[in-house]
Amino acid sequence: MKNKTMMILAIFMATLLIVMFLEYRGIVWHNSLFANKYEVKGLDVSHYQSEVDWSKVTRGHQYQFAYIKATEGSDHIDDYFEKNWTSAKENGLLVGAYHFFTSQSTGEQQARNFIKIVPKEEESLPPVIDIEIDTNKDVQLMRKEIKDMSNLLESHYGKKPILYVTYATYNQYVGDGFSDHEIWIRDVIKPPKLKDQRRWTFWQYNNRGHIAGIDAYVDINVFNGTLEEFNRKFKVGG
């Protein structure tokens, strides 16, 4: 009986290790079970993915949108932005651009950097401000800079920016001061739940996705709604 118990335990541990290895490599992803119920999926990419073959990415029609890193701080421009923006659109995806927010420059300076690079196109997703800064910054100052940036982007593009957040940055900087902004939340462990029960718009559920046409790991996201709702919300004439 003891030997049988030890054998069962050994099999269980071996299976667990295999599953953990497959998840670490992104071959399987437990969050996919929770994300399967959402109709609309999309990717977010930057120079970390290097060259993307968007024709391969879109071949199976699994994805409807792509967010592409454009800028960071007051002067950095992503090397692959222009190529990704053009090619993703040519292959049928609805595209948007995101900016990686930093605490080293003002919101106005960062907005000017973004506006200089990202085309003003009606048929595109709202701009995104990616807020992943440390939580030890001056809260009121950071909120002011984020709001300044958001206001300038909304004035230029005619679309209120979406805020990409972690739980830490949402709780520290966003949750109490940006009720009129839509939220894109990162949670690669479980279905997202914001502390104030606020509804999220996008959920980044996987940061180790394996996608045909992309040689590196890639983030995978879902939209909180149906395809009809997505089109009505984001597509011109939708």
Side-chain angles (χ1 to χ4, degrees):
M1 184 70 174
K2 184 178 179 180
N3 289 340
K4 184 177 181 181
T5 301
M6 293 297 292
M7 182 179 296
I8 292 172
L9 181 60
I11 292 172
F12 172 79
M13 292 302 296
T15 302
L16 181 62
L17 287 172
I18 291 171
V19 171
M20 290 173 64
F21 174 76
L22 292 175
E23 179 143 325
Y24 174 76
R25 296 300 301 270
I27 297 170
V28 297
W29 199 257
H30 69 279
N31 247 358
S32 298
L33 295 173
F34 306 121
N36 276 341
K37 69 177 184 178
Y38 297 99
E39 295 181 24
V40 181
K41 292 186 178 180
L43 310 175
D44 62 275
V45 300
S46 70
H47 63 280
Y48 288 112
Q49 281 70 44
S50 190
E51 295 283 344
V52 176
D53 186 336
W54 290 100
S55 64
K56 288 184 178 179
V57 169
T58 57
R59 190 167 294 164
H61 304 288
Q62 289 180 285
Y63 306 102
Q64 289 74 42
F65 69 92
Y67 262 106
I68 299 159
K69 183 177 181 181
T71 50
E72 180 173 335
S74 62
D75 57 5
H76 178 77
I77 299 167
D78 192 277
D79 293 335
Y80 288 88
F81 171 71
E82 186 175 355
K83 186 172 184 179
N84 280 330
W85 179 270
T86 301
S87 187
K89 285 197 304 179
E90 288 175 346
N91 284 278
L93 294 180
L94 187 60
V95 300
Y98 76 89
H99 171 89
F100 193 89
F101 182 86
T102 71
S103 60
Q104 282 76 48
S105 51
T106 68
E108 179 181 355
Q109 290 170 329
Q110 296 184 64
R112 299 299 178 197
N113 186 30
F114 186 92
I115 290 169
K116 180 175 62 178
I117 299 303
V118 179
K120 182 180 179 180
E121 298 178 356
E122 188 178 10
E123 186 71 43
S124 65
L125 291 163
V128 164
I129 304 174
D130 180 343
I131 307 168
E132 298 183 70
I133 55 176
D134 291 337
T135 56
N136 60 358
K137 308 301 179 184
D138 183 296
V139 173
Q140 295 307 316
L141 177 60
M142 290 301 98
R143 286 178 179 172
K144 175 188 179 301
E145 300 303 347
I146 294 168
K147 285 180 180 178
D148 286 349
M149 181 174 187
S150 178
N151 289 339
L152 283 169
L153 294 184
E154 183 177 5
S155 177
H156 180 78
Y157 294 100
K159 301 174 183 180
K160 186 176 291 293
I162 295 170
L163 303 183
Y164 172 97
V165 294
T166 63
Y167 287 119
T169 57
Y170 179 82
N171 294 341
Q172 185 75 346
Y173 303 113
V174 173
D176 296 329
F178 294 88
S179 59
D180 56 342
H181 286 68
E182 296 188 80
I183 299 298
W184 180 359
I185 179 68
R186 179 187 189 273
D187 192 333
V188 298
I189 304 300
K190 63 186 189 326
K193 186 177 182 180
L194 299 173
K195 67 175 184 177
D196 49 6
Q197 307 302 313
R198 184 168 171 181
R199 180 181 173 86
W200 50 267
T201 299
F202 291 112
W203 167 30
Q204 184 185 101
Y205 72 90
N206 187 343
N207 64 344
R208 286 179 174 267
H210 281 273
I211 304 297
I214 303 177
D215 292 334
Y217 291 133
V218 65
D219 299 330
I220 310 178
N221 309 270
V222 293
F223 167 73
N224 193 5
T226 65
L227 179 59
E228 181 183 357
E229 289 169 331
F230 178 82
N231 290 337
R232 190 164 59 242
K233 187 179 188 68
F234 293 120
K235 286 195 172 183
V236 176

